[in-house]
Short mmCIF file of all heavy atoms in Angstrom, two decimals:
data_model
loop_
_atom_site.label_atom_id
_atom_site.label_comp_id
_atom_site.label_asym_id
_atom_site.label_seq_id
_atom_site.Cartn_x
_atom_site.Cartn_y
_atom_site.Cartn_z
N LEU F 1446 6.22 -92.15 -25.46
CA LEU F 1446 6.91 -90.87 -25.58
C LEU F 1446 6.38 -90.12 -26.78
O LEU F 1446 6.01 -90.71 -27.80
CB LEU F 1446 8.42 -91.09 -25.74
CG LEU F 1446 9.10 -92.01 -24.73
CD1 LEU F 1446 10.59 -92.13 -25.04
CD2 LEU F 1446 8.88 -91.54 -23.30
N SER F 1447 6.38 -88.79 -26.68
CA SER F 1447 5.76 -87.97 -27.72
C SER F 1447 6.61 -86.74 -27.98
O SER F 1447 7.33 -86.26 -27.11
CB SER F 1447 4.35 -87.57 -27.29
OG SER F 1447 3.80 -86.62 -28.17
N ASP F 1448 6.47 -86.20 -29.19
CA ASP F 1448 7.06 -84.90 -29.50
C ASP F 1448 6.06 -83.76 -29.30
O ASP F 1448 6.42 -82.59 -29.41
CB ASP F 1448 7.57 -84.87 -30.95
CG ASP F 1448 8.93 -85.52 -31.08
OD1 ASP F 1448 9.63 -85.67 -30.06
OD2 ASP F 1448 9.31 -85.89 -32.21
N ASP F 1449 4.81 -84.10 -29.00
CA ASP F 1449 3.79 -83.08 -28.82
C ASP F 1449 3.92 -82.37 -27.48
O ASP F 1449 3.54 -81.21 -27.34
CB ASP F 1449 2.39 -83.70 -28.94
CG ASP F 1449 2.12 -84.26 -30.33
OD1 ASP F 1449 2.72 -83.74 -31.30
OD2 ASP F 1449 1.34 -85.22 -30.44
N SER F 1450 4.44 -83.08 -26.47
CA SER F 1450 4.64 -82.51 -25.14
C SER F 1450 5.65 -83.36 -24.41
O SER F 1450 6.08 -84.42 -24.89
CB SER F 1450 3.31 -82.45 -24.36
OG SER F 1450 2.95 -83.74 -23.90
N ASP F 1451 6.03 -82.92 -23.20
CA ASP F 1451 6.94 -83.69 -22.37
C ASP F 1451 6.20 -84.68 -21.48
O ASP F 1451 6.85 -85.37 -20.67
CB ASP F 1451 7.78 -82.76 -21.50
CG ASP F 1451 8.80 -81.96 -22.31
OD1 ASP F 1451 9.01 -82.31 -23.49
OD2 ASP F 1451 9.37 -81.00 -21.77
N GLU F 1452 4.90 -84.76 -21.62
CA GLU F 1452 4.15 -85.71 -20.80
C GLU F 1452 4.39 -87.13 -21.30
O GLU F 1452 4.46 -87.37 -22.51
CB GLU F 1452 2.65 -85.39 -20.85
CG GLU F 1452 1.82 -86.30 -19.94
CD GLU F 1452 0.35 -85.94 -19.95
OE1 GLU F 1452 -0.32 -86.25 -20.95
OE2 GLU F 1452 -0.12 -85.34 -18.95
N ILE F 1453 4.52 -88.08 -20.38
CA ILE F 1453 4.64 -89.48 -20.73
C ILE F 1453 3.41 -90.22 -20.20
O ILE F 1453 2.83 -89.85 -19.18
CB ILE F 1453 5.92 -90.13 -20.17
CG1 ILE F 1453 5.91 -90.14 -18.63
CG2 ILE F 1453 7.15 -89.41 -20.69
CD1 ILE F 1453 7.03 -90.95 -18.01
N ALA F 1454 3.00 -91.24 -20.92
CA ALA F 1454 1.97 -92.15 -20.44
C ALA F 1454 2.66 -93.46 -20.10
O ALA F 1454 3.44 -93.99 -20.91
CB ALA F 1454 0.90 -92.38 -21.51
N GLY F 1455 2.43 -93.98 -18.89
CA GLY F 1455 3.13 -95.16 -18.44
C GLY F 1455 2.20 -96.22 -17.90
O GLY F 1455 1.11 -95.93 -17.40
N GLU F 1456 2.66 -97.46 -18.02
CA GLU F 1456 1.99 -98.59 -17.38
C GLU F 1456 3.10 -99.49 -16.83
O GLU F 1456 3.96 -99.94 -17.58
CB GLU F 1456 1.12 -99.36 -18.36
CG GLU F 1456 0.36 -100.52 -17.73
CD GLU F 1456 -0.53 -101.24 -18.74
OE1 GLU F 1456 -1.59 -100.68 -19.10
OE2 GLU F 1456 -0.14 -102.34 -19.16
N ALA F 1457 3.08 -99.70 -15.52
CA ALA F 1457 4.11 -100.50 -14.87
C ALA F 1457 3.47 -101.75 -14.28
O ALA F 1457 2.55 -101.65 -13.45
CB ALA F 1457 4.79 -99.69 -13.77
N SER F 1458 3.93 -102.91 -14.72
CA SER F 1458 3.53 -104.17 -14.09
C SER F 1458 4.65 -104.56 -13.13
O SER F 1458 5.80 -104.71 -13.53
CB SER F 1458 3.34 -105.27 -15.14
OG SER F 1458 2.24 -104.96 -15.97
N VAL F 1459 4.29 -104.71 -11.86
CA VAL F 1459 5.28 -104.93 -10.80
C VAL F 1459 4.98 -106.27 -10.13
O VAL F 1459 3.92 -106.45 -9.51
CB VAL F 1459 5.23 -103.79 -9.75
CG1 VAL F 1459 6.33 -103.96 -8.72
CG2 VAL F 1459 5.33 -102.43 -10.44
N ALA F 1460 5.89 -107.23 -10.28
CA ALA F 1460 5.75 -108.54 -9.66
C ALA F 1460 6.48 -108.52 -8.32
O ALA F 1460 7.68 -108.23 -8.28
CB ALA F 1460 6.32 -109.63 -10.55
N VAL F 1461 5.76 -108.80 -7.24
CA VAL F 1461 6.34 -108.71 -5.90
C VAL F 1461 6.20 -110.05 -5.18
O VAL F 1461 5.28 -110.82 -5.44
CB VAL F 1461 5.69 -107.59 -5.07
CG1 VAL F 1461 5.83 -106.24 -5.76
CG2 VAL F 1461 4.23 -107.89 -4.80
N ARG F 1462 7.13 -110.28 -4.28
CA ARG F 1462 7.06 -111.42 -3.36
C ARG F 1462 6.93 -110.86 -1.96
O ARG F 1462 7.71 -109.99 -1.56
CB ARG F 1462 8.32 -112.29 -3.47
CG ARG F 1462 8.34 -113.49 -2.53
CD ARG F 1462 9.52 -114.39 -2.87
NE ARG F 1462 10.79 -113.70 -2.69
CZ ARG F 1462 11.50 -113.70 -1.55
NH1 ARG F 1462 11.04 -114.34 -0.48
NH2 ARG F 1462 12.65 -113.06 -1.49
N PHE F 1463 5.95 -111.34 -1.21
CA PHE F 1463 5.70 -110.82 0.13
C PHE F 1463 6.57 -111.56 1.14
O PHE F 1463 6.77 -112.77 1.07
CB PHE F 1463 4.22 -110.94 0.48
CG PHE F 1463 3.36 -110.02 -0.33
CD1 PHE F 1463 2.79 -110.46 -1.52
CD2 PHE F 1463 3.16 -108.71 0.05
CE1 PHE F 1463 2.01 -109.60 -2.29
CE2 PHE F 1463 2.39 -107.84 -0.72
CZ PHE F 1463 1.81 -108.29 -1.90
N LEU F 1464 7.09 -110.79 2.09
CA LEU F 1464 8.08 -111.31 3.02
C LEU F 1464 7.50 -111.61 4.40
O LEU F 1464 8.24 -112.10 5.27
CB LEU F 1464 9.24 -110.31 3.16
CG LEU F 1464 9.94 -109.93 1.85
CD1 LEU F 1464 11.06 -108.93 2.12
CD2 LEU F 1464 10.49 -111.17 1.15
N ARG F 1465 6.22 -111.34 4.60
CA ARG F 1465 5.62 -111.66 5.90
C ARG F 1465 4.14 -111.94 5.73
O ARG F 1465 3.50 -111.47 4.78
CB ARG F 1465 5.84 -110.52 6.90
CG ARG F 1465 5.19 -109.20 6.53
CD ARG F 1465 5.23 -108.23 7.70
NE ARG F 1465 4.56 -106.98 7.38
CZ ARG F 1465 5.18 -105.86 7.07
NH1 ARG F 1465 6.50 -105.84 7.02
NH2 ARG F 1465 4.50 -104.76 6.80
N ASP F 1466 3.60 -112.72 6.64
CA ASP F 1466 2.18 -113.07 6.63
C ASP F 1466 1.33 -111.86 7.00
O ASP F 1466 1.73 -111.01 7.80
CB ASP F 1466 1.89 -114.20 7.62
CG ASP F 1466 2.29 -115.56 7.08
OD1 ASP F 1466 2.30 -115.72 5.85
OD2 ASP F 1466 2.60 -116.46 7.89
N GLY F 1467 0.15 -111.82 6.40
CA GLY F 1467 -0.86 -110.85 6.81
C GLY F 1467 -0.69 -109.46 6.24
O GLY F 1467 -1.40 -108.54 6.67
N ALA F 1468 0.23 -109.28 5.28
CA ALA F 1468 0.41 -107.94 4.71
C ALA F 1468 -0.89 -107.48 4.05
O ALA F 1468 -1.49 -108.20 3.25
CB ALA F 1468 1.54 -107.94 3.69
N ALA F 1469 -1.33 -106.28 4.41
CA ALA F 1469 -2.56 -105.73 3.86
C ALA F 1469 -2.32 -104.66 2.82
O ALA F 1469 -3.25 -104.25 2.12
CB ALA F 1469 -3.42 -105.16 4.99
N ALA F 1470 -1.06 -104.19 2.70
CA ALA F 1470 -0.73 -103.14 1.74
C ALA F 1470 0.78 -103.11 1.55
O ALA F 1470 1.54 -103.69 2.35
CB ALA F 1470 -1.21 -101.78 2.24
N PHE F 1471 1.21 -102.48 0.47
CA PHE F 1471 2.64 -102.21 0.29
C PHE F 1471 2.76 -100.90 -0.47
O PHE F 1471 1.78 -100.39 -1.04
CB PHE F 1471 3.36 -103.35 -0.43
CG PHE F 1471 2.99 -103.50 -1.88
CD1 PHE F 1471 3.76 -102.91 -2.88
CD2 PHE F 1471 1.88 -104.25 -2.26
CE1 PHE F 1471 3.43 -103.05 -4.22
CE2 PHE F 1471 1.54 -104.41 -3.60
CZ PHE F 1471 2.32 -103.81 -4.59
#
């Protein structure tokens, strides 16, 4: 977060568990 602008820089690490075989994307 910054006071220079309202822009935010983000990095999200998302841990997922897959619910079906063969998933090629989410």
Side-chain angles (χ1 to χ4, degrees):
L1446 309 180
S1447 171
D1448 278 342
D1449 296 332
S1450 75
D1451 290 348
E1452 184 178 74
I1453 64 170
E1456 182 179 286
S1458 293
V1459 185
V1461 302
R1462 179 172 62 91
F1463 291 93
L1464 303 180
R1465 63 168 182 258
D1466 282 333
F1471 70 95

